[in-house]
Amino acid sequence: MKQGTIRVTMHTVEPGDSETHSKDLVAENLEQLQKIFPSAFAEGKVDFDVLRELLGDAIDDGDEKFGLTWFGKRNARRIALKPSTATLLPRPEESVDWDTTRNVMIEGDNLEVLKLLQKSYANKVKLIYIDPPYNTGKDFIYPDSFQDSIRNYLELTGQTDSGGGRLSSNAETSGRYHSAWLDMMYPRLALARNLLADEGLIIASIDDHEVHNLRALLDEIFGSENFIGTFIWKRKAGGGDDSGHIAVEHEYLLCYGRRIESVKLARIKHESPAMTAKYNRSENGRRYYLERLDKTSLTYSSALDFEIECPDGTWISPPQNDPDNPTTIWRWSKSKVAESRGELEFQRDKKTGEWRIYTRTWESLDGVTARSLLVDAEHGRNRDGTQELISLLGGRVFTNPKPVKMLKHILRIAASDLDSIVLDFFAGSGSVAHALMEMNDEDGGRRRFILVQLPESTGRSDYTTIPEITRARLCKVREKLSQSLSVGDLGYRSFALSEGNIVRWDTSRPDFEQQAFEHIENVREGRSDQDVLFELLLSQGLDLASTVDTRVFAGVHVFATGGGLLFACLPPSDSITKGKTEEIAQGIIAWRDELEPEADVTVFLKDAAFADDVAKANLVAILEQHESPFVVKSL
């Protein structure tokens, strides 16, 4: 660990500081732009005239451009860039294996949650799979035309009075039918891209209602050059005429990479019964099938019409129906026949006794390239997803959950790495997590899931919101798999989106004296130390699955997380006196040295916890004298 004397200056967290909101994507973009084009900045602002000159012909100032546009797109882009002041409240009582699990289940508006995940999970997610609303006129649409995102979330979930309410459907008669859906999808996809690793993939399920718009949207956000392909999934076999003209039996799964040059989809085994049955021979445990070496071709070539010696010493040519007008040739050239003689099989025709020559085609040991058509029963149908949930929860509690078979197929292709992080921010009943836990059970993987689901009301008495269904399903899957010999991580940490824990100074209020009185204790009423700790954890970009340890120094609880990167001392008001500061400071120092973190350590101290300024100054001074780096901040 690097040593050196570093002076510590205590900083009070103020509104606008990085700890008070999610990652500022605009500031980050400007920082990156300034690194590339420093001369295009003057007094911290972009000089677009200079930038245009530097970019030359790459600038398109024309009014007519190719691409997807709609009324509201500019605002949708702004919404994605606006930082969030919300937080995620830990809910250990709703969790399973809170202390050990690496899985995360978040209840809340996925727009706000995606913003909060930016610091902790940027460039870390291997696969994002989403099954968003299909905009069929019955789907829930998230109305993001609001000023305060977290207030809107509270209104949507009935936690505060609503001024306008939510949209429960998006009727095709609406003039903004497609625009409303695009307004909802754009900022979420833009934020999701930042979370993907360079080799990561996003796969989105959709049907004919919005597949054209979703493809254009993904082209714009991820880049058309990063388009991998489209899977066609047969969701049902037969059935009624959905459209009035065609019985629609399929859906699409659009697949894009973060950087296509870094993407490597896993190869798969043949799961088609017809193809599997084709490999009907084996040798030394490896399967193969035979295929005639001769074939009829419209492009006859004399170079492929030659004699081959048979085992009895006779020679044969490709059999011709009309020797004067030959149409049959060998599939292999003369040189390949000579080189691969061992791959030929000679058999006599049972009727004529004539020799027939076959080639061996071996089953690939590492599988084949993933196919775009997911049409076999092995990929699952809608009814399979419904039946799976009925068997787990005892009733039809959710509409059209995706089948585990299909999702496991996607995981095999796109999350083959055993340590992959998989994100689903339209989690629904939790089918992705179900499939992931079964995959881990089968191959010993350590894949982790992050689920996000809005607490939309179900109108039921047993499961009043969708996340209740999600959590119930995860618990049932845990029960099902817990008997396995290769039991892995079958738990999850539950969180809920909420307003921030720290009450910030409101500069718009004229009653400064009253506000100063209110801020004597600046932690929101009803919030626990653990609530505050996880807000700080997010602000420092630490994993939501980070282990949290607690020790007591001088009767004061101190928390450590992130492997010693973050310490927090959050006791009640006036509880830290000067007489306690030595033991608290030395305890933190010794603990940090024990953990040996590889980066600077941040220590958060609750301002109101100190009995007076002398006690606070004394604690900071002791930390300052230690040779290892500290960043000390007060709340």
Side-chain angles (χ1 to χ4, degrees):
M1 184 167 57
K2 183 179 178 181
Q3 300 292 319
T5 302
I6 297 179
R7 181 174 180 79
V8 178
T9 302
M10 186 163 181
H11 171 72
T12 300
V13 177
E14 302 286 354
D17 288 348
S18 61
E19 289 82 8
T20 65
H21 54 71
S22 63
K23 182 185 288 189
D24 189 335
L25 298 177
V26 173
E28 187 175 88
N29 292 339
L30 288 173
E31 181 182 351
Q32 294 300 318
L33 186 63
Q34 190 166 10
K35 288 180 181 178
I36 302 171
F37 302 110
S39 58
F41 284 75
E43 297 181 347
K45 302 290 185 181
V46 181
D47 187 329
F48 281 99
D49 291 333
V50 174
L51 187 60
R52 284 189 178 90
E53 292 175 4
L54 293 171
L55 293 174
D57 294 337
I59 293 289
D60 183 2
D61 288 325
D63 293 332
E64 297 180 349
K65 298 181 179 69
F66 178 80
L68 178 66
T69 187
W70 70 94
F71 181 78
K73 181 178 182 180
R74 184 175 301 173
N75 191 51
R77 188 181 289 117
R78 288 197 190 105
I79 287 171
L81 295 173
K82 181 183 177 183
S84 174
T85 58
T87 191
L88 299 177
L89 299 181
R91 288 181 167 175
E93 70 282 359
E94 292 181 350
S95 306
V96 176
D97 298 335
W98 172 271
D99 291 330
T100 58
T101 185
R102 304 278 287 164
N103 299 316
V104 173
M105 163 70 196
I106 304 172
E107 183 174 316
D109 180 355
N110 53 18
L111 176 65
E112 289 299 294
V113 173
L114 286 169
K115 291 179 181 181
L116 294 175
L117 298 181
Q118 295 294 305
K119 292 180 182 179
S120 297
Y121 297 98
N123 304 117
K124 294 181 180 178
V125 176
K126 182 63 183 294
L127 170 65
I128 296 174
Y129 171 81
I130 56 171
D131 185 16
Y134 284 5
N135 205 18
T136 60
K138 303 173 184 178
D139 296 312
F140 176 81
I141 297 295
Y142 297 62
D144 293 332
S145 55
F146 46 82
Q147 297 297 319
D148 186 340
S149 299
I150 187 61
R151 185 175 301 151
N152 180 78
Y153 161 75
L154 294 172
E155 291 175 358
L156 291 177
T157 56
Q159 298 178 52
T160 187
D161 292 333
S162 172
R166 68 168 191 168
L167 300 175
S168 59
S169 62
N170 188 33
E172 293 191 49
T173 53
S174 167
R176 299 194 71 251
Y177 175 65
H178 293 291
S179 296
W181 189 83
L182 290 166
D183 285 346
M184 182 272 292
M185 290 297 296
Y186 184 97
R188 289 162 172 82
L189 291 173
L191 290 164
R193 181 183 179 275
N194 299 331
L195 302 179
L196 277 182
D198 284 349
E199 69 277 13
L201 294 161
I202 182 169
I203 298 178
S205 286
I206 199 69
D207 69 1
D208 284 316
H209 284 84
E210 295 290 354
V211 63
H212 50 301
N213 285 330
L214 183 57
R215 174 74 188 271
L217 205 57
L218 290 167
D219 276 347
E220 177 173 328
I221 293 172
F222 287 84
S224 57
E225 70 278 8
N226 291 311
F227 174 64
I228 303 294
T230 301
F231 295 101
I232 311 296
W233 172 55
K234 187 173 182 178
R235 63 184 176 88
K236 65 179 182 179
D241 182 351
D242 297 335
S243 67
H245 304 285
I246 297 174
V248 180
E249 297 181 349
H250 70 280
E251 291 180 8
Y252 310 93
L253 290 92
L254 303 181
C255 180
Y256 283 74
R258 173 69 184 266
R259 298 186 186 278
I260 196 168
E261 63 272 14
S262 301
V263 169
K264 185 178 180 181
L265 274 72
R267 295 169 69 84
I268 58 170
K269 292 184 177 180
H270 279 300
E271 63 284 327
S272 166
M275 183 59 72
T276 300
K278 193 173 184 179
Y279 290 93
N280 56 1
R281 295 168 178 262
S282 65
E283 183 176 291
N284 297 324
R286 190 177 174 194
R287 300 192 309 165
Y288 67 94
Y289 66 87
L290 297 179
E291 189 174 4
R292 285 279 291 265
L293 181 61
D294 57 287
K295 70 170 184 176
T296 301
S297 174
L298 297 176
T299 55
Y300 172 80
S301 171
S302 59
L304 296 174
D305 186 353
F306 53 89
E307 290 188 327
I308 298 177
E309 185 178 8
C310 297
D312 63 354
T314 60
W315 294 76
I316 63 171
S317 299
Q320 306 291 346
N321 292 327
D322 183 358
D324 297 326
N325 184 26
T327 58
T328 307
I329 57 175
W330 299 124
R331 291 187 294 105
W332 288 4
S333 66
K334 183 178 289 188
S335 61
K336 185 171 183 180
V337 168
E339 293 170 1
S340 305
R341 176 88 183 185
E343 294 303 308
L344 299 181
E345 281 200 18
F346 296 81
Q347 296 181 10
R348 286 189 181 277
D349 187 281
K350 292 182 179 180
K351 292 183 178 180
T352 65
E354 296 177 349
W355 286 105
R356 295 286 182 261
I357 306 177
Y358 298 84
T359 64
R360 293 181 177 185
T361 299
W362 295 91
E363 186 177 33
S364 175
L365 292 175
D366 60 350
V368 298
T369 303
R371 274 29 184 177
S372 62
L373 294 178
L374 309 180
V375 297
D376 297 313
E378 285 72 17
H379 296 122
R381 303 281 189 257
N382 260 356
R383 63 171 179 262
D384 296 323
T386 300
Q387 187 56 48
E388 286 161 358
L389 198 54
I390 290 174
S391 65
L392 287 171
L393 301 185
R396 191 183 293 268
V397 299
F398 191 83
T399 304
N400 294 326
K402 289 293 186 286
V404 168
K405 287 181 181 178
M406 186 270 282
L407 294 173
K408 284 169 68 173
H409 181 78
I410 295 301
L411 289 172
R412 290 189 191 101
I413 295 168
S416 57
D417 291 349
L418 299 184
D419 291 306
S420 297
I421 297 177
V422 178
L423 168 65
D424 180 1
F425 53 90
F426 289 100
S429 68
S431 299
V432 166
H434 182 165
L436 182 144
M437 287 193 284
E438 285 197 5
M439 278 279 291
N440 283 345
D441 182 61
E442 292 169 7
D443 63 13
R446 299 167 298 278
R447 300 173 189 85
R448 303 166 51 191
F449 62 76
I450 302 174
L451 304 183
V452 186
Q453 177 59 45
L454 185 81
E456 185 181 356
S457 174
T458 62
R460 302 176 61 93
S461 58
D462 48 359
Y463 303 108
T464 59
T465 65
I466 292 177
E468 290 181 19
I469 297 173
T470 314
R471 288 189 290 267
R473 179 177 193 161
L474 297 181
C475 289
K476 290 295 185 181
V477 174
R478 171 189 169 82
E479 291 177 13
K480 174 184 173 184
L481 297 178
S482 61
Q483 307 303 316
S484 171
L485 295 176
S486 58
V487 176
D489 186 355
L490 301 177
Y492 61 91
R493 280 189 174 182
S494 185
F495 295 86
L497 182 71
S498 184
E499 293 176 299
N501 295 291
I502 309 301
V503 181
R504 307 297 175 188
W505 191 273
D506 186 355
T507 56
S508 65
R509 285 177 54 179
D511 54 340
F512 299 113
E513 292 184 4
Q514 175 62 27
Q515 194 170 179
F517 176 78
E518 294 172 0
H519 278 67
I520 293 174
E521 176 60 64
N522 61 346
V523 174
R524 200 177 298 278
E525 186 177 356
R527 299 296 170 86
S528 67
D529 290 351
Q530 189 178 48
D531 295 338
V532 177
L533 181 65
F534 272 88
E535 181 169 349
L536 298 176
L537 182 148
L538 278 172
S539 76
Q540 300 303 297
L542 299 177
D543 197 309
L544 283 170
S546 296
T547 300
V548 177
D549 294 314
T550 309
R551 292 184 182 179
V552 179
F553 306 117
V556 173
H557 287 79
V558 177
F559 302 95
T561 188
L565 291 174
L566 187 155
F567 288 85
C569 186
L570 310 168
S573 298
D574 302 327
S575 58
I576 301 179
T577 60
K578 183 177 181 297
K580 295 182 177 182
T581 54
E582 174 77 24
E583 183 178 342
I584 294 172
Q586 293 300 336
I588 292 173
I589 290 169
W591 198 359
R592 191 275 311 277
D593 291 346
E594 177 186 326
L595 294 171
E596 296 186 333
E598 297 180 356
D600 289 357
V601 175
T602 302
V603 180
F604 283 96
L605 306 170
K606 192 166 71 170
D607 217 18
F610 291 93
D612 50 45
D613 289 341
V614 175
K616 180 166 64 174
N618 195 55
L619 179 53
V620 175
I622 298 171
L623 292 174
E624 184 179 44
Q625 294 169 7
H626 198 267
E627 292 184 347
S628 297
F630 275 101
V631 177
V632 184
K633 298 185 178 183
S634 68
L635 300 173

